[in-house]
Amino acid sequence: MTSCTPQIEEVRAVRSTRDRVASLLKRYPHVSDNDREAILEFMREARHLEVGLLTANDNVRPQLDAFMADHKRYFRLDALDVLRAVALIGAILMVCWLVWELFMPVSL
């Protein structure tokens, strides 16, 4: 056994999930509600690389485009996400200002 075995199993699981979602998308729009939820969960929760590999698949591109158009509201930012981003940017600016004030000499 090698120390890479857990990573290999994880890669296989992710690839399997991506392949499953691709097969579901091939049948879109004739999928069940559970299948729609599985596609949505993959699109929201999967790594960017995995989503990118799925979007690069020419076999499912028309169905994926239709799915994205039909489910736009699930991919929008809500008010809480915007508030978190603004708070994070504000905190970063505050830290930068404090560091600036701490290390810059006062010129009189």
Side-chain angles (χ1 to χ4, degrees):
M1 286 274 202
T2 65
S3 63
C4 295
T5 302
Q7 290 86 2
I8 292 171
E9 293 301 320
E10 181 181 349
V11 167
R12 286 182 183 151
V14 169
R15 185 179 303 140
S16 172
T17 303
R18 185 180 69 234
D19 292 342
R20 180 176 178 274
V21 169
S23 69
L24 292 175
L25 281 169
K26 285 180 186 176
R27 296 185 295 130
Y28 186 79
H30 308 291
V31 294
S32 69
D33 289 338
N34 289 340
D35 293 342
R36 280 189 183 95
E37 287 297 322
I39 296 169
L40 283 170
E41 181 180 353
F42 178 83
M43 297 299 289
R44 282 185 290 207
E45 304 296 328
R47 296 177 181 166
H48 295 292
L49 175 64
E50 296 301 323
V51 175
L53 289 171
L54 181 65
T55 59
N57 185 344
D58 290 334
N59 296 330
V60 297
R61 186 170 306 189
Q63 293 91 347
L64 180 60
D65 291 342
F67 182 85
M68 296 294 282
D70 293 344
H71 297 87
K72 284 188 252 187
R73 64 186 174 140
Y74 292 102
F75 301 107
R76 290 186 182 152
L77 294 176
D78 61 358
L80 185 59
D81 291 332
V82 173
L83 183 63
R84 285 179 185 154
V86 169
L88 179 65
I89 291 169
I92 290 170
L93 290 174
M94 181 66 74
V95 168
C96 291
W97 177 76
L98 288 172
V99 169
W100 179 269
E101 289 294 320
L102 181 64
F103 290 112
M104 294 305 295
V106 178
S107 57
L108 295 175

